[in-house]
Amino acid sequence: MKLFKQLLAMATIAFATAAQAAAPATEAPDVLVKRISQDVIETAKTDKAIQAGDIKRVTALVEEKILPYVDFQRMTALAAGRHWRTATPDQQKRLSDEFRTLLIYTYSGALSQIKNETVEFKPLRADPSDTEVEVRSQVNMTRGEPVPLNYRVAKTPNGWKIYDINVLGAWLVETYKSSFNSEISKGGIDGLIKTLADKNKTLASRPLAKAK
């Protein structure tokens, strides 16, 4: 689980520096992800605040740099499944906000664990006209075998956005889907929102390095 969180953190944070320089309009999704990933891994390795587990530093980075490039609403809708369609707009917004916060707290703690890992990208298997693609890569660990790390990316009016991540064969959305369904079956959408909110309060009260 620690490795899973670490790699998801690397994947999520891969969009952190995208706002530092506007991507060319014709830049392919794999080229975009590769360029940003390399920049951010270096940042995570050298930023003393991130290495120290400074939650304010990480949260500010996420809010400013990552959110414009990750479709959290689509992530949440996929995780909630059919229940998303019956939720009110207010419930959808609150659920998406809490899920986003949970991902930030859960995986930000792993950033300080990034040391000497490198990412190798595979050739993109897609047609130029495709609006949804899978960007495949592997994380080369200092010890052990390379770990597959893939992204599902969709082209939107605002550019390419990530909406799912696969680590070790497990998609992030599917990982949360069963627990979402379980909570909804017990307390409805509001029950799930409350569960996530309570979890976020607990994580917020802990040192970042201890978030689980």
Side-chain angles (χ1 to χ4, degrees):
M1 180 57 70
K2 180 179 179 181
L3 174 61
F4 186 76
K5 290 179 179 180
Q6 178 178 338
L7 296 177
L8 280 175
M10 292 171 65
T12 305
I13 206 71
F15 287 80
T17 58
Q20 293 179 0
T26 57
E27 188 171 29
D30 58 329
V31 175
L32 174 67
V33 174
K34 180 178 180 179
R35 174 173 59 82
I36 296 169
S37 296
Q38 291 173 337
D39 288 343
V40 172
I41 288 175
E42 290 305 313
T43 300
K45 289 178 182 178
T46 59
D47 190 302
K48 293 182 179 179
I50 291 178
Q51 289 290 315
D54 186 337
I55 184 60
K56 291 183 179 179
R57 164 65 176 148
V58 174
T59 301
L61 184 66
V62 170
E63 293 288 344
E64 180 182 357
K65 306 296 186 180
I66 296 179
L67 297 191
Y69 298 91
V70 180
D71 193 342
F72 281 107
Q73 179 167 315
R74 182 170 182 180
M75 273 188 172
T76 310
L78 291 172
R82 60 185 177 83
H83 304 289
W84 180 260
R85 296 190 297 273
T86 61
T88 67
D90 178 66
Q91 287 175 321
Q92 290 178 348
K93 182 181 184 305
R94 288 188 291 131
L95 180 57
S96 182
D97 288 347
E98 294 296 344
F99 188 35
R100 178 190 64 189
T101 301
L102 177 64
L103 292 178
I104 292 172
Y105 278 129
T106 302
Y107 302 118
S108 290
L111 289 177
S112 62
Q113 303 300 317
I114 297 176
K115 302 299 181 183
N116 299 309
E117 294 81 6
T118 61
V119 182
E120 177 183 338
F121 285 83
K122 308 296 184 181
L124 182 65
R125 298 175 179 173
D127 294 323
S129 60
D130 288 344
T131 57
E132 294 194 10
V133 301
E134 182 175 329
V135 177
R136 300 176 301 123
S137 71
Q138 68 179 35
V139 179
N140 298 318
M141 312 299 291
T142 53
R143 295 181 180 179
E145 296 296 320
V147 177
L149 175 61
N150 301 335
Y151 310 76
R152 282 177 176 159
V153 188
K155 191 173 186 179
T156 75
N158 297 317
W160 291 97
K161 291 193 177 185
I162 187 171
Y163 68 92
D164 206 354
I165 303 164
N166 185 305
V167 181
L168 296 171
W171 288 102
L172 173 66
V173 166
E174 287 299 320
T175 300
Y176 280 97
K177 194 169 186 177
S178 60
S179 62
F180 273 26
N181 283 332
S182 176
E183 292 297 332
I184 292 173
S185 67
K186 292 186 291 185
I189 292 291
D190 286 334
L192 173 59
I193 294 172
K194 184 179 184 306
T195 296
L196 295 180
D198 290 344
K199 179 67 172 177
N200 289 333
K201 289 179 182 178
T202 299
L203 292 175
S205 67
R206 298 177 181 173
L208 184 58
K210 294 182 180 180
K212 300 294 184 181

